[in-house]
Each structure stands twice: as C-alpha cells, then as structure tokens.
Amino acid sequence: MIDRGEETTMAEEKNWKAVIEGILFTMGRSVRISQIAAALGLAEEQVRTLAEEMMKEYEDSGRGIHMIELEDSLQLCTKAEYYEYLIRIAAQPKKHVMTDALLETLSIVAYKQPITKSEIERIRGVKSDHAINKLVEYDLIEEVGRMDAPGKPILFATTEEFLRSFGVSSLMDLPMADPEQIEVMKEEAEEEISVTL
C-alpha cells in the first residue's frame, strides 16, 4: 500500500516533469538547468534527476521527440529518424558548405577556446577573416568576450549549435588528437616556417 506522503511526492514529481516539458517546448531552444531550477524552486540536482527520468521515459515510450543535455542546458528535439518527414513539410534548410579552411578554423577554436582571431591566424599561417565570419554566420562559433590586452581583441568559442551539429553533449566529449599526428603536424608547421624565413 502506498502511503499518502509517497503518493503526494509522486504526484508532485509528475507535475514538475510537466512543468519542465512545458518550459522546454515553449522556449524552443536550450534552457539552462540553473534557470529551470530557479523557476521551479528546486535544487539543480533535483532538476537533473527529473531530466534523466524524463529522457528515459521519452525513449521507452517511443515518442517522436527526446530530451538532450548540452553542457548545463536541456532541450526538446525531434528524433533524427523523423527528419525526413519534417523536410516534406518544411522548406529544406540551407546546407552549410564546410570547406577544409572552415573545418581547420573550427577545429582550432574547438580545442583552443576562447581564442582570438590573431591566434587562429598564427596557428593556421594565413588570414582567417572569411573563415571566422562564415563560422559565426553558421552559428558554430560566437564572440564570448574580449581579451584583457592592448586593443582588446575579441575572443571566440564554439556554440551549442556546434555541439548539436557534431553530436557531442559537451566539449569534454571531443576526441583527443593522436599524439603521433600532433608531432607530424608540428614538424610540418616548422618546415613551413623555415621555408618562409
């Protein structure tokens, strides 16, 4: 027999889940766990626990949406296997063309962030205005502040869209570069520098 206190707790928990679902659905973007916790008057850990339960419930029920966690935020998304049906209704989204220069620049930002344009150019060895502007336009990187140095250069970092696009929930999930590959790249960079001197 379920005791009354336990029954109330379960009812409240279901209500909190409905509130979280309503918030995420209405916002249509990711919402920080701390913001949800503040709105509900709960601890962040309680919201995380509720979110984990909700993620499992979405999976188990075979619904068309699921909840994802991006860094310290939550978002409701359509499951990837249903995208083809959405495309039939919505206009086909514009495809971003990721050239080698864009991927190279994005990799530098991802692994060295926050980073300035001049640091990116020093690593790449070429001007990077076009690549940086395109990545900002594609919402893969963004300005995150200014460096406390002469000229106050802009600092760039990756966005949540970057995490979504590359299927990682956190920067900690980015693959580690192979040490041998890093050595080869260093040698190539040193050779290029010696040729230009």
Side-chain angles (χ1 to χ4, degrees):
M1 186 173 159
I2 298 173
D3 105 355
R4 282 276 170 221
E6 214 176 300
E7 200 173 26
T8 306
T9 306
M10 287 167 66
E12 285 173 359
E13 205 169 279
K14 284 192 177 178
N15 190 36
W16 288 135
K17 288 177 184 177
V19 173
I20 293 169
E21 183 178 56
I23 289 169
L24 296 178
F25 177 79
T26 303
M27 295 306 289
R29 59 169 174 77
S30 65
V31 181
R32 297 193 68 77
I33 290 171
S34 58
Q35 290 177 300
I36 296 170
L40 274 56
L42 298 174
E44 287 184 35
E45 265 322 299
Q46 288 175 289
V47 173
R48 279 183 201 284
T49 302
L50 289 166
E52 284 168 15
E53 290 172 11
M54 290 172 74
M55 287 175 192
K56 186 170 181 351
E57 288 165 13
Y58 281 120
E59 279 311 308
D60 293 347
S61 65
R63 294 175 60 184
I65 58 172
H66 64 149
M67 185 187 291
I68 59 170
E69 186 173 349
L70 301 163
E71 297 276 291
D72 289 322
S73 301
L74 299 172
Q75 184 170 1
L76 286 179
C77 298
T78 302
K79 287 183 177 173
E81 58 261 39
Y82 303 123
Y83 285 172
E84 67 176 288
Y85 301 103
L86 290 174
I87 290 168
R88 291 177 191 171
I89 295 170
Q92 180 131 12
K94 185 183 172 191
K95 278 242 181 206
H96 299 313
V97 179
M98 291 298 287
T99 63
D100 288 345
L102 291 183
L103 285 170
E104 184 180 80
T105 306
L106 184 58
S107 299
I108 291 166
V109 175
Y111 285 97
K112 297 278 192 181
Q113 63 187 305
I115 187 170
T116 63
K117 182 170 79 77
S118 61
E119 287 176 294
I120 294 167
E121 290 173 344
R122 185 178 51 76
I123 293 167
R124 288 192 66 220
V126 293
K127 292 289 258 175
S128 300
D129 298 59
H130 176 74
I132 290 168
N133 290 339
K134 275 291 173 198
L135 293 171
V136 168
E137 181 187 321
Y138 293 169
D139 193 29
L140 295 172
I141 67 170
E142 64 185 349
E143 295 179 15
V144 291
R146 292 189 174 266
M147 183 181 266
D148 189 17
K152 301 272 188 198
I154 295 168
L155 290 166
F156 293 95
T158 54
T159 62
E160 281 186 357
E161 184 57 36
F162 165 80
L163 296 175
R164 269 190 291 277
S165 298
F166 288 88
V168 292
S169 58
S170 145
L171 294 172
M172 306 311 275
D173 296 338
L174 289 174
M176 292 299 292
D178 178 8
E180 286 178 25
Q181 198 175 8
I182 291 171
E183 274 311 307
V184 169
M185 287 166 63
K186 277 184 187 173
E187 285 169 20
E188 286 174 1
E190 285 166 10
E191 280 174 27
E192 282 179 30
I193 289 167
S194 63
V195 167
T196 56
L197 292 177

